[in-house]
Structures are given as structure tokens and as C-alpha cells.
Amino acid sequence: EAQVTQNPRYLITVTGKKLTVTCSQNMNHEYMSWYRQDPGLGLRQIYYSMNVEVTDKGDVPEGYKVSRKEKRNFPLILESPSPNQTSLYFCASSLAGSGNEQFFGPGTRLTVL
Amino acid sequence: SQQGEEDPQALSIQEGENATMNCSYKTSINNLQWYRQNSGRGLVHLILIRSNEREKHSGRLRVTLDTSKKSSSLLITASRAADTASYFCATSNDYKLSFGAGTTVTVRA
């Protein structure tokens, strides 16, 4: 089944404890991206990747890192999480670029205490 | 920065009625997409309209795009309870994708 998977789905952590949220797609998509969703603000793009080893900042990249060493995986790293990073995170992928249909993962609900 | 803004923020309609929501954006776009989200789940793509198109249909969905006014509308005809969800427009420019804050639609039985 064609899908985007994220892990973990739920995470409660403490300020400053490094964490990684994994994202994987099995559709051989070139484009992958991360978003955070906060009430009243919709989705805001954190980082995106056009292909392996090619990443760029979205609208809210501060406090996040990404890497794209393999085409199927695009992990999101929070090196020192803070409470203002408490949010619902979505990974998405598409065949090529932001101008194509995006396939979204199920989301990761992160709480930073 | 948020490119798109949906209006209204919330909409409540009776089953069988039509639902219309609007999206306005600020800068030039390559295309505009509409997505649906059910209660905190992942977004699902509904329809994509390119900047050189004015109207597009998909089942009970009708999307219009007016690039001179930098606005788009999504019409859902003959609504059903299953249409209860949040709807987002997303504008694409180069490799970035910007979403609006969404319209929450409630369809009453």
C-alpha cells in the first residue's frame, strides 16, 4: 500500500532532550516536507527536500534540522526541544515538487514539557 | 509566512445544502490545491487547479481560480455528514507550499 509513515505517533518529552521523528514513504517520491500545525495557524512548512541530499528551509525552520540521505526517509530532528515546539507534525511527499499532489503521513503529536 | 487565508473560518450547514469557502493569497502562484482534514488526521488532497485554469470539477467539488483577484473558491454540492472536516487551500510557488488556516465545515444531519 502506498503510504507515508511517521514514528512515533505520540511523544511527550522534556525541554532540551534531543529527539527525532522519522518519516518514510514507499512511493519513490522525490519531494518530501515537514509541517507543523497549530490551532488557528493552519500548516506551516518547516523544511522541504527536493531530492536526496537537497534540503531547504520552509517558513518556520528555527529549532529544527533535517537530513535526506535516502530517497525514502526524511527525519525531523529537534536537538534541544522547547515548549513552543509542542505541536502536531506532519510529513508529506510528492512525485516532484510542491506543485503536485502531496501525500500526508498520519501526524505526530509532540508535547514538550 | 501564510500565503493563503480561508473564509469563513467556520461553516455549519444542513445535509444536502451546498458549502462554499474562499481562499485569498498574496503573491503569484504556479497552482493552488485544496485539501481536507478529518479531526487531527493527515490531510487528503482534493483537487489542484493551475494558474492558467479558471474552473475545475471533481465529483461534487467545484473549484474556481481568479488570479487577477488572487482568490479561489471551493464549492461542495449536496453535502453529506461525511463532508464534516476542515478544508485548506495551499499555494505553490517554486518548491514551497503554503497553507491557509482552514475552514471548518460541519454538516448537520
Side-chain angles (χ1 to χ4, degrees), chain A residues 3-8 20-27 31-35 66-68 70-76 89-93 103-106 108:
Chain A
Q3 60 182 347
V4 178
T5 56
Q6 293 179 228
N7 282 292
T20 299
V21 184
T22 64
C23 173
S24 184
Q25 49 91 7
N26 62 0
M27 295 169 279
Y31 183 86
M32 297 184 74
S33 56
W34 276 102
Y35 301 85
V66 293
S67 68
R68 187 95 181 270
E70 304 166 284
K71 199 170 188 178
R72 63 183 295 128
N73 296 324
F74 190 44
L76 179 70
Y89 291 87
F90 289 101
C91 178
S93 73
F103 291 81
F104 280 81
T108 295

Side-chain angles (χ1 to χ4, degrees), chain A residues 33-52:
Chain A
S33 56
W34 276 102
Y35 301 85
R36 61 177 289 172
Q37 184 175 26
D38 302 289
L41 295 178
L43 278 82
R44 293 179 291 168
Q45 193 174 46
I46 303 171
Y47 269 95
Y48 60 93
S49 169
M50 291 79 82
N51 214 325
V52 176

